[in-house]
Amino acid sequence: NLTQRLAKVVKTMRGEARLTEANTAEMLREVRLALLEADVALPAVREFIGKVKEKALGEEVLSSLTPGQALVGVVQRELGALMGADLGPEATQLSFAQQPPAIILMAGLQGVGKTTTVGKLAKYLREEKKKKVLTVSADVYRPAAIAQLQSVTGQVGADFFPSTAQDKPVDIALAALDWAKKHYHDVLIIDTAGRLGVDEEMMKEIAAVHGAVKPVETLFVVDAMLGQDAINTAKAFNDALPLTGIVLTKLDGDSRGGAALSVRHITGKPIKFAGVSEKLDGLEAFDPTRMASRILGMGDIMALVEEARKGVDAKAAADLAAKVKSGGKFDMNDFKAQLGQMKKMGGMSSLVDKLPAQFQQAAGGANMDQADKQVRRMVGIIDSMTPAERAKPELIKATRKRRIAAGAGVQVQEVNRMLNQFEQMQTMMKKLSGGGMMKMMRSMKG
Ligand code: GDP
Ligand code: MG
């Protein structure tokens, strides 16, 4: 499972102040695999990984993050940018010609959702933009295609310009344009034929329609379920037509939508809309950031990082850090607070494997089944101490040890072991600066 794999890498990289070739290599390998699993075409994957590397190397790691988390941040940001986040929300807007009607030409293979999208766009333009919309079908190869467009147009209450399979696509488009001008339509949407594969004749035909009516928007419709092949299809259409935008359909399916990256890689054109249902209200403005998370399958990772932040009682950590930094001594009360913190974050068994190696030893070896019980006993031992003993554990000599052991219902050796562990922890605390402390507390779960 990808999320688990990434989570593992996020955890193993920590305690380093800068992203380097070495501490990002494994993570980048996972990202590359994630993209390939999402069916992103190889050239697009290569370009993206190269870009992330360039941006990430040398980047400073905030003290509140592990390098793994920092790299996840870079990957998300760069993929978001590649998806169009930097273009701003205007990128998802349609252009309208100065002189109506604004013509929208639909392009793409058969079955990707062109005709359905015409219906969705007509509905959106009528209801949201208050436009008077006319649709026309230049799909003269399948008579059913014309009837299908008539049906969806009727469902959304737009106007339909009838055509027949005997007409030529260019003539159909010009006749519809003429009609739209005469009847003051704001928008004319031209649906076209698609083939199962890229086809020379089809490309010539749609290029001819484009040349005849000069659409203000030429939208390439692509199925999000399309895998590696998306890149070839996008290239063919991009070479044949000056595309102005992309519509990514069938995002309600379970594909990760790697086609989005492939298509952006080849065309550089903004993805304007996402189709999210067969129904005619299933059209959304494209959301680059959400798409980036989906492609990486990293929604869970970010949630995990968030969860970790919440799990650590930030104030307690900050108080302790301030105390240690200002020369204050790490005492039994602090130790108990830390043990409590660990319990809050899911118990020793889930935590010990995430701790730095030194702490793993301090936690008493590999038997994690025993670890949680041990933590509870340690807390019990601390509870049996007097406030003076907790503040100054060096007071605890033989007599006091016996009393504490009896109070906690444990053997004296266990009190000794616990005091040893405390001392190790105390030494560790002395070494850590305030920032280091915060980082350690957070990295326990990160
Ligand atoms: P065209 O050949 O490009 O015109 O494709 P159609 O518009 O006829 O759509 C082909 C199939 O895909 C139909 O069954 C549509 O209902 C379906 N479809 C189109 N867009 C979407 C979408 O966003 N989500 C889902 N689930 N199905 C869609
Ligand atoms: Mg169609």
Side-chain angles (χ1 to χ4, degrees):
N1 166 301
L2 172 82
T3 298
Q4 281 164 356
R5 280 211 313 263
L6 284 175
K8 197 184 76 202
V9 182
V10 171
K11 275 178 218 145
T12 54
M13 294 170 35
R14 72 160 59 92
E16 295 176 57
R18 227 159 253 289
L19 295 179
T20 63
E21 189 96 37
N23 69 12
T24 57
E26 195 188 344
M27 185 82 186
L28 284 175
R29 205 155 41 235
E30 298 294 346
V31 170
R32 186 187 154 88
L33 279 175
L35 296 176
L36 290 171
E37 270 176 22
D39 252 336
V40 181
L42 195 57
V45 173
R46 283 209 192 102
E47 188 195 71
F48 177 71
I49 295 289
K51 199 176 281 171
V52 168
K53 227 180 199 166
E54 192 183 296
K55 294 273 160 116
L57 293 191
E59 174 139 332
E60 218 173 301
V61 178
L62 293 175
S63 64
S64 59
L65 296 177
T66 66
Q69 290 164 350
L71 186 63
V72 168
V74 175
V75 168
Q76 282 225 322
R77 197 176 67 220
E78 286 306 308
L79 191 56
L82 190 54
M83 290 290 92
D86 291 356
L87 302 175
E90 309 80 53
T92 65
Q93 299 294 309
L94 289 172
S95 302
F96 299 101
Q98 307 86 325
Q99 191 78 23
I103 297 172
I104 303 175
L105 179 66
M106 310 298 287
L109 294 183
Q110 186 175 312
V112 293
K114 288 184 302 299
T115 304
T116 309
T117 303
V118 172
K120 290 173 175 178
L121 281 173
K123 180 178 166 69
Y124 159 77
L125 290 169
R126 267 174 53 77
E127 291 175 7
E128 308 288 325
K129 301 283 175 186
K130 310 295 173 209
K131 302 285 185 191
K132 185 177 176 187
V133 180
L134 182 70
T135 73
V136 66
S137 174
D139 188 347
V140 293
Y141 303 100
R142 296 179 306 143
I146 299 175
Q148 184 195 352
L149 182 66
Q150 179 164 24
S151 164
V152 299
T153 304
Q155 285 175 56
V156 301
D159 297 331
F160 175 73
F161 185 85
S163 52
T164 75
Q166 283 74 52
D167 301 326
K168 289 205 162 56
V170 169
D171 296 340
I172 292 172
L174 287 172
L177 174 56
D178 194 44
W179 179 271
K181 280 180 182 161
K182 288 201 176 108
H183 295 83
Y184 305 105
H185 285 94
D186 301 305
V187 181
L188 168 64
I189 310 178
I190 304 175
D191 193 12
T192 62
R195 302 292 161 80
L196 292 172
V198 171
D199 173 296
E200 191 67 25
E201 195 190 334
M202 172 185 73
M203 288 300 177
K204 274 195 196 139
E205 182 184 288
I206 194 165
V209 172
H210 185 280
V213 300
K214 307 255 181 325
V216 65
E217 289 280 1
T218 302
L219 300 179
F220 175 55
V221 183
V222 64
D223 182 336
M225 319 257 261
L226 204 62
Q228 299 278 331
D229 207 35
I231 202 160
N232 302 323
T233 311
K235 183 164 176 17
F237 278 92
N238 193 54
D239 289 348
L241 293 167
L243 304 176
T244 59
I246 317 282
V247 180
L248 193 63
T249 60
K250 307 187 192 180
L251 266 179
D252 49 318
D254 56 10
S255 83
R256 296 254 296 280
L261 215 167
S262 304
V263 170
R264 283 281 300 160
H265 167 81
I266 282 293
T267 69
K269 299 292 156 56
I271 303 178
K272 298 199 171 193
F273 295 99
V276 295
S277 145
E278 284 179 281
K279 302 216 189 80
L280 296 175
D281 58 2
L283 188 73
E284 294 179 352
F286 179 72
D287 182 336
T289 312
R290 186 140 48 102
M291 194 67 218
S293 295
R294 174 171 175 150
I295 290 177
L296 287 168
M298 279 210 314
D300 297 353
I301 287 253
M302 290 321 267
L304 202 135
V305 169
E306 243 344 274
E307 206 39 49
R309 298 240 176 87
K310 275 187 256 153
V312 175
D313 182 351
K315 184 164 183 321
D319 287 350
L320 180 54
K323 180 176 171 182
V324 172
K325 204 175 182 181
S326 66
K329 225 175 74 187
F330 177 78
D331 66 17
M332 277 292 172
N333 292 308
D334 301 320
F335 192 35
K336 187 184 164 188
Q338 279 216 321
L339 292 173
Q341 204 57 257
M342 288 183 186
K343 238 176 20 207
K344 218 195 253 175
M345 291 192 287
M348 285 296 269
S349 20
S350 80
L351 267 175
V352 167
D353 61 326
K354 296 171 189 116
L355 292 171
Q358 315 91 292
F359 285 100
Q360 286 193 21
Q361 280 158 18
N367 193 348
M368 286 313 124
D369 293 346
Q370 296 296 316
D372 282 324
K373 249 187 244 163
Q374 205 189 327
V375 167
R376 248 174 284 133
R377 282 211 297 274
M378 283 160 91
V379 172
I381 293 170
I382 298 174
D383 284 342
S384 307
M385 296 173 183
T386 65
E389 287 164 351
R390 277 184 226 162
K392 279 183 110 184
E394 58 272 25
L395 290 176
I396 304 173
K397 299 275 152 36
T399 330
R400 289 179 189 258
K401 278 182 193 166
R402 275 199 297 278
R403 195 206 76 240
I404 291 165
V410 299
Q411 302 286 313
V412 174
Q413 294 96 293
E414 210 160 333
V415 176
N416 282 329
R417 191 159 55 224
M418 190 269 193
L419 287 169
N420 280 337
Q421 284 168 354
F422 167 75
E423 263 168 46
Q424 286 182 39
M425 197 72 149
Q426 198 176 36
T427 312
M428 192 67 55
M429 288 304 145
K430 268 185 214 141
K431 287 190 200 147
L432 290 168
S433 71
M437 181 66 214
M438 293 288 282
K439 199 155 145 184
M440 188 213 63
M441 292 286 281
R442 287 198 173 117
S443 70
M444 280 181 179
K445 179 104 183 208

